[in-house]
Amino acid sequence: MAGGPVRMFRLLPRRLRPLSGPPGCLSARSARSFSGVPPELPAALVRSTFLDFFRQKHGHQLVPSSPVRPRGDPSLLFVNAGMNQFKPLLLGTADPRSEMSSYRRVVNSQKCVRAGGKHNDLEDVGRDQHHHTFFEMLGNWSFGDYFKEEACSMAWSLLTEHYGIPADRLYVSYFGGDAASHLPADEETRHIWLDIGVPPARLLPFGLKENFWEMGDCGPCGPCTEIHYDHVGGRDAAVLVNADSPDVVEIWNLVFMQYNREVDHSLRMLPQFSVDTGMGLERLVSVLQGRRSNYDTDLFTPLLHAIQQRSRAGPYGGRTGAADEGKVDMAYRVVADHVRTLSVCIADGVHPGMSGAELVLRRILRRAVRFCVEVLQAPQGALASLVPTVSHILVKYISHNPCGQVTSVAWSLHRNLGFPLDLVDLMLEERGVQVDRQELDRLMAESQKVKLQAGAQAQVTLDVLSLAELQRLAVPHTDDSLKYQYRLERGRYVFPACSATVLALYDGQALVSEVSEGQRCGVILDQTCFYSEQGGQSHDQGYFTREGLQDVLYPVEAVVLAGGYVVHQVTAADSLKTGDQVQLHLDQVHRLSCMVKHTATHILNFALREVLGPSVQQRGSHVAADRLRFDFSVKGSLDVSQLQQVERCVNDIISANHNVHSQELPLQTAGHINGLRTVDEVYPDPVRVVSVGLSVSDLLDDQTDGRTSVELCCGTHLLQTGAIEDLVIVSERQMVKGISRVVAVTGREATRAREAGQVLSQDVDSLSARLSGSAPLSLDSAVDNFSLHCVLQAVDNTPIPQWQRRELQIHLRAMQRNSNTTVRKLETREAAARAQALLEKNGRKDLQVDAVETDSLSVVMKTVNRLSAAAPRSYVMLLAHQGHSGKVLCACQVPKVTMTRVSDIRGGRAGGSPLVAKGTGRSSDITEALSALMQLPVP
């Protein structure tokens, strides 16, 4: 640790005075007991009181909660803390042109999900009374404004004076120092709490684990102080603080960011201090409503009641462990928590899927369904029917957000999803909300400007005049041989360092001697270790620094080859001129990923020829860091067996960890290599030959049968095949007749694809088991086509092994055909029964008007047909109330004009032929429609 800066940190002068009385004594105002417990407040008032306290009384800016999907932070699956959206401010990376850069005092209530990753409460939910996967985090922040003294004072005032929590129920912990880390105790915070009036016996020191907060392995960090609440009261509960006691719980954590954790784990003082506090709404509400369990508060009781109404279980009893017989109460808690999480995540654009956050959400959904159906014995669809209750408890988006935020969402729907803006206007108008047209126009203009800038950026390539000028000036071609000069040391790739001289600069129009800060340009060096985009392989990424200005980075955005010159496309972070010395820094992770994919492409090319025969010819390829694409000639799509054989052949070569050889040869000499693969293009001379398993010299000596991968290639490759780890073909389809395209992933992505395939296979097996069981007795118990359609969509679109996709598609389509047949038979049987009942009830009157109980328009139509066949002289019209949608279904065998009149009565629509018609209406009450029909004249 950098001990100097830490030791230099002195206690700031304290301006606070005790609320009354000497330090260590509770003031009359802060110690008021309210009969020993805080007053009971509804959750909505608890939330608004917190926000109003900081916004109105202490000048904080109210910042809306960010979505639970992290913005630009791949390290997180979900937003799991209030500080996530403020990371750029804490790290000093916020765009100075952004609104965020102006934040000084901020307050908000952040939606958080802790399921998966470092913070994962999923398996604990339901087992106890307080774990959740979704919760709200109340927080206030200071970015270079107030610090410890004000933060502690405001927190104590809010809890004891505004929420009315008895001070004698509260305990405070602070950082007691850590000798091993050379960190002193946070005596400043201790003295602040004493000045506020917290007794010494209730002010407790703890170590790094409890009271020192860190963002990660590196970055801002600092001591924290926590406020704890004793549910029992009237005793000394100091020993229960931080002891995992359900009776003494932490309610508020105040973090004081004053250090930065360096890469070498030392600590340096931050130039600007910040405050980050967090208090879980659910736990605070339980305190203020006098409940030991979060599930007994008004955040959950309406939801638990709604669950009980939809299940066959008894009322929720709050039991845990052995006392919870049959795990019924655990199921209540699981379903209540998970439906909140699902509702919020889906509303924020995270949907159940096959990887990352989507896969975690899928597991939450499956866990909720299992407890809902198996334990609570709720009917199908019960979980979805709880969403309106969740929406009522939490705040609906449109109803509680200003016009500007709605405009932002409307623009996002249009830009990202192609949602028509006029349709957005209509939907919002129905809810009495309007978009800010001026703001929307600004967003559209800004988007257009970005597109134009992107188009202009793509033009920084040398033109013919500039190439001629370079040759006239005798500027030598770029030496890029260093791109191949890497080696393996102890299983790790080591790439060479590269220093270079700036030989020329191109500003997009002409060669220049100097560019200024912010100017986009092409940089030509005497040598480079960067790979320029060619041969189907993406260019390298990285940056370079200028000699004498090592802390300024020049990111390399693209690398292209033009006339022997390697052009590095750069936006200058500072001035740059010809003759400057620069140090190149290669993005080694990106390069290695491209090497993996390129070598894998060569092996795939070989495997396809091995399986399909020598007629297979390469027709194109593209190698990127995340996946590879390979086009080849073949008569038709590969079947399941062929796809499996190709994958097996590739992975056998990967497992063998063959050496990969490369050698530059005269083009004519290379042409004599047995089994050499080429494509229809012009090759340089000399040419680079890449072979797998056998050296180029052995191939030239003709000592082998040529049964290996050997190609002419300028790309960068692995030195051993084992680094590929695994390869999965995730797509194969005919682009045009006779040309197929394969897309494949490797390594971790291949593993994820196989795991996703297993999950989908289990889903298909589950559906199959339901279909192959006893024949359904009614339409309600039949497997609906919607379930099959959803699984089929997932199988079609999720990255899984292509051979497995084909197998599952075949299985699902067969199931779909069987399901359709079953449903049609059940509809016919149900229609026959309905028609017979109506004939017995009404006879064969000239006008048959009645209602039937069914959710299926097809059943209504079939019933009409049956009645019409039995009473061909009758005018028949039937209505049904569709329970799940609230619509009225209509079907008749009358002139179409009659049908149109009835649908108009119900505010719906009609269609069909002059003889047979059908329609729908909007009302759930069909009495009016039946009365109207009875008044219709019969011809």
Side-chain angles (χ1 to χ4, degrees):
M1 164 183 157
V6 175
R7 285 193 293 271
M8 289 170 59
F9 181 68
R10 298 190 300 271
L11 301 182
L12 298 173
R14 295 188 299 278
R15 299 185 298 276
L16 284 180
R17 293 176 297 174
L19 296 177
S20 75
C25 297
L26 295 174
S27 70
R29 187 166 68 168
S30 66
R32 54 188 175 178
S33 67
F34 296 93
S35 302
V37 294
E40 186 167 324
L41 298 174
L45 184 57
V46 173
R47 184 193 295 112
S48 62
T49 297
F50 182 92
L51 300 176
D52 291 344
F53 173 81
F54 285 100
R55 186 165 56 92
Q56 297 175 5
K57 294 183 176 296
H58 296 284
H60 286 60
Q61 181 175 348
L62 177 59
V63 175
S65 169
S66 68
V68 294
R69 181 189 289 275
R71 293 168 172 162
D73 191 346
S75 67
L76 294 174
L77 291 173
F78 300 98
V79 166
N80 58 25
M83 54 76 60
N84 290 160
Q85 71 167 311
F86 303 117
K87 268 188 177 181
L89 272 177
L90 300 173
L91 295 172
T93 60
D95 188 332
R97 298 167 297 180
S98 68
E99 182 187 7
M100 182 180 288
S101 66
S102 66
Y103 291 167
R104 291 297 175 265
R105 297 182 173 211
V106 165
V107 63
N108 86 339
S109 178
Q110 174 64 49
K111 299 173 289 187
C112 298
V113 174
R114 289 187 177 175
K118 179 181 176 182
H119 299 288
N120 184 6
D121 291 342
L122 179 56
E123 293 305 319
D124 293 322
V125 171
R127 301 180 190 278
D128 56 31
Q129 303 271 18
H130 59 274
H131 272 99
H132 305 291
T133 52
F134 167 78
F135 63 97
E136 287 185 65
M137 182 70 84
L138 303 171
N140 62 288
W141 287 265
S142 165
F143 304 108
D145 194 320
Y146 60 82
F147 201 44
K148 298 179 181 180
E149 186 176 17
E150 294 88 339
C152 295
S153 175
M154 288 186 289
W156 192 260
S157 172
L158 176 61
L159 293 179
T160 61
E161 298 172 17
H162 294 265
Y163 284 137
I165 297 177
D168 61 6
R169 292 282 189 101
L170 299 177
Y171 294 79
V172 178
S173 64
Y174 70 96
F175 180 55
D178 185 79
S181 302
H182 307 290
L183 279 169
D186 188 4
E187 288 294 320
E188 180 187 12
T189 297
R190 176 176 174 270
H191 284 286
I192 289 170
W193 285 120
L194 289 173
D195 284 354
I196 286 174
V198 178
R202 293 174 179 267
L203 189 54
L204 312 169
F206 287 91
L208 283 170
K209 179 182 177 182
E210 297 85 1
N211 282 88
F212 195 88
W213 183 90
E214 304 202 39
M215 183 181 292
D217 294 334
C218 301
C221 58
C224 63
T225 182
E226 297 173 334
I227 302 174
H228 304 255
Y229 176 79
D230 178 15
H231 277 287
V232 177
R235 59 175 181 167
D236 182 0
V239 296
L240 297 179
V241 172
N242 284 334
D244 292 327
S245 168
D247 294 331
V248 179
V249 296
E250 172 212 331
I251 56 173
W252 205 345
N253 185 12
L254 286 65
V255 178
F256 306 127
M257 296 186 211
Q258 60 191 66
Y259 304 122
N260 190 71
R261 178 72 72 182
E262 303 293 320
V263 176
D264 62 1
H265 299 296
S266 64
L267 292 174
R268 295 180 61 188
M269 199 69 71
L270 288 169
Q272 174 179 288
F273 295 165
S274 297
V275 174
D276 166 14
T277 86
M279 178 161 56
L281 174 67
E282 289 76 9
R283 186 171 291 181
L284 177 62
V285 171
S286 72
V287 167
L288 295 177
Q289 294 183 0
R291 306 289 191 266
R292 296 294 185 92
S293 167
N294 297 351
Y295 292 93
D296 291 335
T297 68
D298 65 347
L299 285 169
F300 286 93
T301 49
L303 194 50
L304 294 170
H305 178 66
I307 294 170
Q308 196 270 325
Q309 287 182 319
R310 291 159 174 78
S311 72
R312 298 178 185 174
Y316 175 68
R319 295 174 291 269
T320 59
D324 183 16
E325 193 171 334
K327 296 186 177 180
V328 172
D329 287 343
M330 177 180 176
Y332 268 107
R333 290 187 290 269
V334 167
V335 173
D337 171 85
H338 289 6
V339 76
R340 282 170 30 115
T341 304
L342 289 161
S343 300
V344 170
C345 287
I346 292 172
D348 278 353
V350 184
H351 300 92
M354 302 310 298
S355 64
E358 287 80 7
L359 180 58
V360 173
L361 201 62
R362 181 186 181 88
R363 289 172 178 161
I364 292 173
L365 176 58
R366 294 181 72 163
R367 190 169 188 253
V369 169
R370 182 170 67 84
F371 276 96
C372 194
V373 174
E374 294 181 6
V375 181
L376 298 177
Q377 299 181 353
Q380 186 177 357
L383 191 67
S385 71
L386 296 171
V387 174
T389 306
V390 176
S391 194
H392 177 74
I393 297 171
L394 303 175
V395 180
K396 289 187 176 179
Y397 187 87
I398 290 178
S399 302
H400 296 268
N401 281 273
C403 177
Q405 294 174 33
V406 174
T407 303
S408 176
V409 172
W411 171 244
S412 177
L413 286 169
H414 175 69
R415 180 192 59 195
N416 299 329
L417 302 177
F419 209 78
L421 286 172
D422 56 346
L423 186 55
V424 174
D425 279 337
L426 287 173
M427 294 170 64
L428 294 176
E429 186 177 349
E430 292 176 358
R431 293 160 175 81
V433 179
Q434 291 184 334
V435 295
D436 183 339
R437 298 305 307 184
Q438 187 174 359
E439 174 66 5
L440 192 60
D441 291 340
R442 186 191 69 79
L443 291 169
M444 294 177 72
E446 190 173 87
S447 177
Q448 186 64 27
K449 182 179 178 181
V450 169
K451 288 180 180 179
L452 291 173
Q453 288 176 343
Q457 289 178 356
Q459 302 304 313
V460 184
T461 53
L462 292 172
D463 59 19
V464 64
L465 295 176
S466 298
L467 283 169
E469 180 68 1
L470 287 170
Q471 293 165 2
R472 188 188 70 80
L473 295 172
V475 175
H477 290 160
T478 311
D479 176 9
D480 62 351
S481 59
L482 282 174
K483 66 187 179 185
Y484 297 129
Q485 295 179 25
Y486 46 86
R487 63 189 188 278
L488 268 174
E489 284 186 7
R490 298 178 183 176
R492 299 188 63 182
Y493 281 86
V494 178
F495 296 88
C498 180
S499 297
T501 303
V502 177
L503 299 182
L505 296 167
Y506 178 68
D507 67 0
Q509 296 179 333
L511 297 176
V512 294
S513 59
E514 185 174 2
V515 292
S516 56
E517 179 183 351
Q519 189 173 354
R520 187 172 171 81
C521 64
V523 182
I524 298 173
L525 307 173
D526 61 336
Q527 66 171 352
T528 184
C529 59
F530 280 62
Y531 182 86
S532 54
E533 183 156 355
Q534 54 183 317
Q537 179 178 327
S538 298
H539 63 78
D540 278 339
Q541 296 180 0
Y543 63 93
F544 56 78
T545 56
R546 202 181 83 197
E547 189 178 80
L549 202 62
Q550 299 301 315
D551 57 340
V552 177
L553 310 183
Y554 294 75
V556 176
E557 298 157 0
V559 188
V560 296
L561 187 63
Y565 297 101
V566 176
V567 183
H568 306 75
Q569 295 190 4
V570 170
T571 299
D574 204 313
S575 62
L576 190 67
K577 61 182 183 295
T578 55
D580 281 347
Q581 302 296 306
V582 294
Q583 183 75 32
L584 280 70
H585 302 268
L586 180 68
D587 183 337
Q588 299 180 10
V589 173
H590 179 270
R591 161 68 82 83
L592 185 56
S593 295
C594 289
M595 288 162 57
V596 164
K597 304 303 184 299
H598 207 150
T599 302
T601 302
H602 281 213
I603 300 172
L604 175 63
N605 188 2
F606 170 77
L608 286 166
R609 196 169 188 179
E610 283 291 287
V611 173
L612 303 177
S615 63
V616 171
Q617 297 294 327
Q618 179 177 342
R619 290 291 181 261
S621 68
H622 182 71
V623 174
D626 59 340
R627 60 176 52 197
L628 64 92
R629 188 194 74 217
F630 188 78
D631 299 341
F632 60 100
S633 61
V634 66
K635 289 183 178 179
S637 287
L638 278 63
D639 59 30
V640 169
S641 176
Q642 290 170 328
L643 288 166
Q644 290 174 324
Q645 289 179 65
V646 171
E647 272 194 15
R648 193 179 305 117
C649 180
V650 171
N651 285 309
D652 285 346
I653 296 172
I654 293 171
S655 299
N657 198 25
H658 288 307
N659 288 330
V660 180
H661 306 270
S662 61
Q663 185 176 333
E664 197 167 80
L665 294 174
L667 182 58
Q668 187 175 4
T669 303
H672 296 301
I673 296 176
N674 189 22
L676 180 71
R677 307 300 304 274
T678 62
V679 294
D680 186 19
E681 64 179 46
V682 177
Y683 288 96
D685 192 4
V687 69
R688 188 174 177 82
V689 181
V690 177
S691 63
V692 175
L694 297 171
S695 69
V696 176
S697 57
D698 286 343
L699 292 168
L700 278 171
D701 292 340
D702 201 25
Q703 297 176 0
T704 70
D705 61 1
R707 293 286 295 276
T708 189
S709 167
V710 54
E711 300 187 27
L712 303 181
C713 182
C714 62
T716 58
H717 285 269
L718 296 171
L719 301 179
Q720 293 179 331
T721 61
I724 301 172
E725 296 180 358
D726 189 13
L727 179 139
V728 168
I729 296 172
V730 295
S731 173
E732 187 275 328
R733 61 190 179 96
Q734 287 261 301
M735 302 298 295
V736 294
K737 188 174 182 179
I739 303 292
S740 270
R741 170 169 291 176
V742 161
V743 176
V745 292
T746 63
R748 292 181 182 176
E749 291 302 318
T751 302
R752 292 191 186 103
R754 295 192 191 279
E755 291 172 348
Q758 289 299 314
V759 172
L760 281 174
S761 182
Q762 291 170 7
D763 288 349
V764 173
D765 288 343
S766 176
L767 272 177
S768 180
R770 289 168 59 190
L771 275 176
S772 61
S774 58
L777 300 177
S778 67
L779 284 171
D780 291 339
S781 59
V783 176
D784 60 15
N785 280 332
F786 180 74
S787 300
L788 282 166
H789 176 74
C790 289
V791 177
L792 188 57
Q793 283 285 97
V795 168
D796 288 346
N797 300 313
T798 304
I800 63 174
Q802 182 67 9
W803 64 263
Q804 190 175 29
R805 190 192 317 278
R806 295 263 167 84
E807 285 189 339
L808 294 177
Q809 286 169 337
I810 292 169
H811 194 179
L812 281 167
R813 283 172 184 139
M815 290 163 57
Q816 204 167 34
R817 287 193 296 271
N818 293 336
S819 176
N820 289 340
T821 300
T822 301
V823 168
R824 282 195 295 271
K825 288 180 179 178
L826 288 169
E827 286 177 346
T828 300
R829 188 172 70 189
E830 186 172 324
R834 304 280 186 213
Q836 183 61 37
L838 289 171
L839 284 170
E840 292 173 1
K841 173 185 175 183
N842 301 323
R844 287 171 170 79
K845 296 187 297 186
D846 290 341
L847 179 62
Q848 297 254 17
V849 178
D850 214 324
V852 293
E853 291 187 10
T854 181
D855 281 343
S856 169
L857 181 58
S858 177
V859 171
V860 180
M861 288 292 295
K862 284 181 169 67
T863 306
V864 166
N865 292 337
R866 287 268 181 172
L867 283 173
S868 298
R873 295 178 179 273
S874 297
Y875 275 54
V876 180
M877 175 168 282
L878 299 180
L879 285 78
H881 175 226
Q882 193 176 49
H884 66 273
S885 69
K887 291 181 179 179
V888 174
L889 309 177
C890 312
C892 63
Q893 189 154 321
V894 293
K896 186 177 178 180
V897 64
T898 308
M899 183 67 217
T900 303
R901 180 176 173 186
V902 175
S903 289
D904 287 344
I905 293 172
R906 302 310 318 133
R909 61 182 185 271
S913 68
L915 181 62
V916 179
K918 60 184 178 180
T920 60
R922 294 181 182 174
S923 175
S924 60
D925 181 7
I926 63 177
T927 306
E928 182 186 347
L930 288 170
S931 299
L933 287 169
M934 296 301 293
Q935 305 303 318
L936 291 176
V938 180

